């Protein structure tokens, strides 16, 4: 295999707190191994359009605590086509980039896998998404921060819920996964947690509401993952109002505040460790894998697996949450 001297790094898909810490770690690890690191702007689009610049230690100074991504991110339709990927490869060759670190979620890792296999480019993926739904790591970069953001918001909402005897339906992110909903729901003592991985039966929901009313005049918090089969918070609100017309129900959709903000210490440490291991992995000859942390051990999982499987949610924890909410 050709030796690696120049490593490209990019962030793609939805941004996640801790991406900057990961970029910083990739750059610092590269310098440690006397390699050059080039930052690709706007994800795969930057490879196609040659939006590339060298990253020095100075460029990643003072970013470990910042949310978002200094490299910017984008969803890139052109990279889904063979012509787009060919242009990206041509740019890499022209720039002398030998290997790529791609930081992002499912879509990013899918693109990285196809690109690496198609052109024989060494690629390593880093799990960067608030959704925590990637197979091959216990935690993704950004998830812990997002959960803490939700907890802070819901604690505040609960004050109003209690003061006004109101029921709040709070919608959190998670198009396909309920990790944010489950963890934040447990941490805030939510009366009900609705996630796509566990079917909610309407009568069960009504039962828990009726039970809740008996001890707190109808105040409460329902956390719904945006991808729940019920159809999100507005749909849940409609159903509740129909069945319990006297309930004072409000909806709060937390939206993109969950994606921004300073990364938690957990996410900074995770991103730093994984970023370093991505570079070390590439130099050790690893490719077509995602670097993750499982049971506190660094694991390299083939990208085929990370994109084919989902990280299973802890359904037992969901059942425990139901009991604790009684
Ligand atoms: O980052 C993942 C995610 O937050 C999903 O949970 C959500 O559905 C999606 O991104 C929204 O992304 P965008 O705002 O980029 O369309």
């Amino acid at each position: 295999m050709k030796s690696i001297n120049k490593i490209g790094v990019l962030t793609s898909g939805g941004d996640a707190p801790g991406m900057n810490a990961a970029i910083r770690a990739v750059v610092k690890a590269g310098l440690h191994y006397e390699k050059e690191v080039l930052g690709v702007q706007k994800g795969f689009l930057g490879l196609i359009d040659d939006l590339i610049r060298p990253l020095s230690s100075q460029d990643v100074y003072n970013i470990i605590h910042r949310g978002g991504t200094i490299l910017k991110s984008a969803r890139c339709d052109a990279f889904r086509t063979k012509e787009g990927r060919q242009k990206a490869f041509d740019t890499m060759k022209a720039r002398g980039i030998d290997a790529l670190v791609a930081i992002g979620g499912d879509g990013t890792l899918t693109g990285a896998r196809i690109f690496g296999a198609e052109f024989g480019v060494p690629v390593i993926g880093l799990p960067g998404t608030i959704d925590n739904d990637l197979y091959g790591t216990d935690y993704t970069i950004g998830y812990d921060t997002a959960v803490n953001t939700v907890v802070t918001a819901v604690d505040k909402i609960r004050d109003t819920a209690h003061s006004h005897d109101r029921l709040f339906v709070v919608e959190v992110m998670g198009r396909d996964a309920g990790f944010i909903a489950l963890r934040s729901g447990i941490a805030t003592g939510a009366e009900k947690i609705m996630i796509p991985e566990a079917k909610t039966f309407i009568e069960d929901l009504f039962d828990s509401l009726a039970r809740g009313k008996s001890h707190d005049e109808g105040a409460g918090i329902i956390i719904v993952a945006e991808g729940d089969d019920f159809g999100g918070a507005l749909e849940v609100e409609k159903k509740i109002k129909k069945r319990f017309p006297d309930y004072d129900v409000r909806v709060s959709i937390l939206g993109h505040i969950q994606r921004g903000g300073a990364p938690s210490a957990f996410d900074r440490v995770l991103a730093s460790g994984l970023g370093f291991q991505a570079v070390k992995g590439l130099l050790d000859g690893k490719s077509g894998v995602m670097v993750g942390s499982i049971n506190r051990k660094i694991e390299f999982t083939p990208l085929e697996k990370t994109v084919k499987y989902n990280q299973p949610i802890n359904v037992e924890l969901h059942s425990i949450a139901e009991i604790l909410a009684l």
Side-chain angles (χ1 to χ4, degrees):
M1 200 190 1
K2 189 173 173 289
S3 71
I4 293 173
N5 290 310
K6 281 190 189 181
I7 298 170
V9 59
L10 59 83
T11 49
S12 169
D15 63 340
M19 279 183 162
N20 281 329
I23 295 165
R24 173 181 177 270
V26 169
V27 170
K28 298 258 183 175
L31 292 172
H32 170 75
Y33 290 111
E34 297 177 352
K35 307 295 172 190
E36 198 179 332
V37 178
L38 293 132
V40 182
Q41 300 272 338
K42 300 190 179 185
F44 294 115
L45 183 69
L47 272 187
I48 295 174
D49 288 351
D50 194 17
L51 309 171
I52 297 171
R53 65 184 161 109
L55 291 176
S56 67
S57 187
Q58 189 59 30
D59 290 315
V60 294
Y61 171 73
N62 207 24
I63 66 165
I64 195 167
H65 60 298
R66 281 169 52 193
T69 158
I70 59 160
L71 290 177
K72 296 184 180 285
S73 189
R75 303 191 197 274
C76 178
D77 285 338
F79 199 71
R80 292 178 202 272
T81 66
K82 175 89 198 216
E83 301 76 62
R85 292 193 295 274
Q86 180 66 55
K87 270 184 93 178
F89 179 64
D90 293 344
T91 308
M92 267 187 84
K93 264 202 325 203
R95 288 281 192 166
I97 299 174
D98 307 304
L100 199 61
V101 176
I103 308 169
D106 207 39
T108 305
L109 299 184
T110 302
R113 185 195 72 74
I114 295 170
F115 186 62
E118 215 163 47
F119 297 100
V121 175
V123 287
I124 285 204
L126 276 180
T129 164
I130 63 165
D131 289 338
N132 203 43
D133 56 348
L134 290 175
Y135 182 85
T137 190
D138 291 338
Y139 297 103
T140 57
I141 297 163
Y143 169 61
D144 181 68
T145 308
V147 168
N148 282 299
T149 300
V150 172
V151 169
T152 303
V154 172
D155 286 349
K156 291 176 181 175
I157 291 171
R158 198 182 267 288
D159 289 344
T160 301
H162 194 72
S163 305
H164 290 262
D165 291 331
R166 273 184 191 159
L167 179 66
F168 274 87
V169 186
V170 181
E171 184 177 298
V172 300
M173 277 189 168
R175 197 168 27 205
D176 307 304
F179 287 93
I180 296 175
L182 179 57
R183 203 165 180 85
S184 61
I186 291 173
T188 55
E191 276 63 34
K192 187 83 189 166
I193 303 167
M194 299 170 68
I195 55 175
E197 295 86 346
K199 190 154 180 52
T200 310
F201 296 98
I202 189 97
E203 286 309 322
D204 290 350
L205 173 65
F206 293 156
D207 282 354
S208 15
L209 291 180
R211 269 196 310 267
K213 179 127 176 135
S214 63
H215 62 80
D216 203 1
E217 296 297 320
I221 301 285
I222 298 176
I223 304 244
V224 194
E226 64 178 331
D228 189 74
D229 53 328
F230 251 70
L234 291 167
E235 203 49 45
V236 175
E237 181 204 25
K238 226 192 286 171
K239 293 217 162 68
I240 296 173
K241 276 189 166 162
K242 202 162 164 214
R243 175 66 174 263
F244 299 103
D246 60 322
Y247 268 51
D248 193 1
V249 193
R250 292 288 193 281
V251 166
S252 189
I253 298 174
L254 297 185
H256 287 80
I257 65 159
Q258 296 161 90
R259 286 244 294 259
S264 64
F266 181 92
D267 277 331
R268 296 179 200 191
V269 174
L270 179 70
S272 299
L274 296 185
F276 179 87
Q277 294 292 347
V279 172
K280 184 171 182 298
L282 278 174
L283 300 178
D284 287 346
K286 295 200 164 54
S287 180
V289 291
M290 181 193 83
V291 55
S293 166
I294 302 175
N295 289 332
R296 299 173 67 198
K297 270 184 61 203
I298 293 299
E299 299 282 352
F300 293 88
T301 304
L303 289 172
E304 289 98 62
K305 281 193 176 175
T306 62
V307 299
K308 184 167 172 203
Y309 304 115
N310 292 323
Q311 171 164 206
I313 204 157
N314 188 340
V315 280
E316 195 189 350
L317 203 55
H318 188 241
S319 311
I320 292 171
E322 299 263 302
I323 295 165
L324 299 183
L326 289 179

